[in-house]
Amino acid sequence: RDGKTSIASVEDFDRIYGANYWKEQPAKYTEVTKTTPLKNAMNQHQIQMWITGRRRSQGGDRSFMDVLEFEPYKTMIDDNHANNVDADDNDPFHPSKGRWKLNPLAYWNYQQVWAYIRQYNIPYNPLYDRGYTSLGDVMTTNLPQAASANGENFVGVDADALERSGRFVGLNRTECGLHAHIEKITRQKQEALERGDEWSVPTLICLKCVDLTVETFEKMVTNPSLIPSSTMEGQPTELLLIEFYSPYCGGCQQFAPTLDRLADHISEEMPQVRVARFDITEHDIPLVDGKDMFEVEVTPTLYRVRYEPSFRVERYESDHGYDRILEWVRKG
């Protein structure tokens, strides 16, 4: 039950939403099949705390989570539970204002989880014995980039990095919703600073990318000759590829090696093309000639700017695969 429609079978779901809803609308599919049912169940049973198996080592937004978190309802999706509880303005953690989340495995890594499972003979899904490392819906679960069995066969490769690499392959589920992401990171940063904890920014390497700032954004986008190039200095710029990203976003972290490889390839093959990026975590995207030309709802988002025969901005709408993006740039 999605909160609006009673769904008793896969056939019912496919009839209402379509058999390819998971592929065509992955964010909405997750909302219908996971987010909304979970929210409704917790509201129905008046849950004040729930326990997760999330870990910092899984990366992305999870990298900074605490063992115990309080999620205000204003940051949760369409949660009306607060309306059913008498508020207490003097208690910032009152049930009317949010729900506790307990993450007991927050500081464990993938190998520690499997060591515990083996030591205490805890039952687990037999698919892990076939090399799977993260399980979800059948449509969005694949073998990871390097096969493993029970966390043991990651030879020379970090197990945590590969754990979820088989999930959502070919889908744009490697994106972070912009507004919710920024709100969450801002809250986590403030809480860390209040505790006196060090707050570090993840480093996403792109050797051939130019990092745009609020001060340089407009003048470099409108006058690409100002953008330095690692090859063929003086070559006129015909196209600018821009990534809008956040270093805290798990999808951006996953995409970073692809962008680095793309920028390197482009600098060698297409000296008339520049590659740049802009971190949206703490800054709005600057206007260009007084106009809001770049619409970004998720990160990473790619745009190409063409200068001939006239100035034109175009957003990339396909998956984040290396070959697909390279073809799009070539056609630019």
Side-chain angles (χ1 to χ4, degrees):
R1 184 182 298 272
D2 65 0
K4 299 178 181 179
T5 308
S6 181
I7 301 173
S9 65
V10 174
E11 289 72 23
D12 283 349
F13 185 93
D14 291 348
R15 174 175 51 80
I16 296 169
Y17 294 100
N20 292 322
Y21 194 60
W22 63 276
K23 184 188 301 183
E24 297 167 351
Q25 299 286 343
K28 293 182 179 179
Y29 172 82
T30 298
E31 181 180 341
V32 169
T33 61
K34 177 183 176 183
T35 308
T36 298
L38 175 63
K39 176 200 67 179
N40 290 341
M42 290 197 292
N43 289 348
Q44 178 183 350
H45 296 286
Q46 298 184 350
I47 301 298
Q48 296 185 25
M49 176 185 288
W50 60 303
I51 302 174
T52 83
R54 302 182 309 151
R55 309 190 320 272
R56 285 188 167 209
S57 63
Q58 290 170 322
D61 293 346
R62 303 182 182 192
S63 300
F64 305 97
M65 69 181 181
D66 293 317
V67 172
L68 184 63
E69 299 175 304
F70 187 79
E71 286 196 331
Y73 285 127
K74 66 179 180 179
T75 66
M76 302 176 70
I77 300 175
D78 190 30
D79 202 321
N80 297 316
H81 177 59
N83 297 329
N84 301 322
V85 182
D86 293 333
D88 181 354
D89 292 336
N90 296 320
D91 183 359
F93 304 118
H94 192 269
S96 66
K97 299 177 181 178
R99 182 179 285 122
W100 291 98
K101 181 185 291 185
L102 181 63
N103 309 300
L105 304 182
Y107 288 88
W108 287 34
N109 61 34
Y110 189 80
Q111 302 288 17
Q112 287 175 308
V113 171
W114 276 102
Y116 188 92
I117 290 173
R118 289 190 291 270
Q119 181 179 353
Y120 294 100
N121 197 28
I122 296 176
Y124 60 84
N125 192 308
L127 286 176
Y128 287 104
D129 289 329
R130 294 169 54 183
Y132 291 88
T133 53
S134 179
L135 302 180
D137 295 327
V138 63
M139 304 88 68
T140 60
T141 301
N142 297 274
L143 288 169
Q145 296 175 2
S148 73
N150 304 343
E152 295 178 333
N153 293 339
F154 289 99
V155 179
V157 183
D158 180 63
D160 292 299
L162 287 172
E163 180 183 358
R164 293 178 63 82
S165 64
R167 298 294 303 282
F168 310 108
V169 176
L171 300 179
N172 278 341
R173 279 299 305 276
T174 55
E175 298 173 333
C176 299
L178 180 61
H179 302 295
H181 170 74
I182 291 177
E183 183 176 287
K184 183 173 183 178
I185 292 300
T186 301
R187 186 175 72 252
Q188 290 176 337
K189 180 179 180 180
Q190 180 179 352
E191 292 172 352
L193 294 177
E194 289 175 352
R195 293 192 304 268
D197 295 343
E198 182 180 356
W199 180 263
S200 60
V201 180
T203 301
L204 306 188
I205 296 175
C206 186
L207 298 178
K208 301 293 178 66
C209 291
V210 175
D211 287 302
L212 303 176
T213 66
V214 172
E215 294 74 24
T216 65
F217 186 89
E218 181 179 18
K219 62 184 179 182
M220 285 193 172
V221 169
T222 56
N223 186 5
S225 63
L226 298 175
I227 300 177
S229 171
S230 59
T231 59
M232 294 185 68
E233 291 293 344
Q235 177 78 24
T237 300
E238 299 176 6
L239 187 145
L240 174 63
L241 176 67
I242 308 177
E243 179 204 25
F244 295 94
Y245 78 107
S246 168
Y248 304 99
C249 167
C252 298
Q253 294 171 8
Q254 182 177 337
F255 180 65
T258 300
L259 181 67
D260 185 39
R261 183 182 168 205
L262 279 166
D264 186 64
H265 187 136
I266 289 170
S267 70
E268 297 298 328
E269 179 186 314
M270 295 172 274
Q272 76 281 10
V273 177
R274 304 288 191 270
V275 181
R277 59 184 182 177
F278 182 80
D279 182 356
I280 52 77
T281 308
E282 298 185 3
H283 302 286
D284 292 333
I285 300 172
L287 301 179
V288 176
D289 289 335
K291 299 177 182 179
D292 187 1
M293 292 191 174
F294 300 93
E295 180 180 345
V296 176
E297 294 295 333
V298 297
T299 54
T301 289
L302 296 175
Y303 272 89
R304 65 184 179 192
V305 181
R306 295 199 283 183
Y307 299 94
E308 296 295 339
S310 61
F311 185 89
R312 183 160 60 177
V313 173
E314 299 170 314
R315 185 169 63 185
Y316 179 71
E317 300 289 359
S318 189
D319 65 73
H320 293 144
Y322 175 86
D323 292 331
R324 190 72 62 88
I325 297 173
L326 186 61
E327 179 183 4
W328 181 68
V329 173
R330 284 171 173 159
K331 290 182 178 179

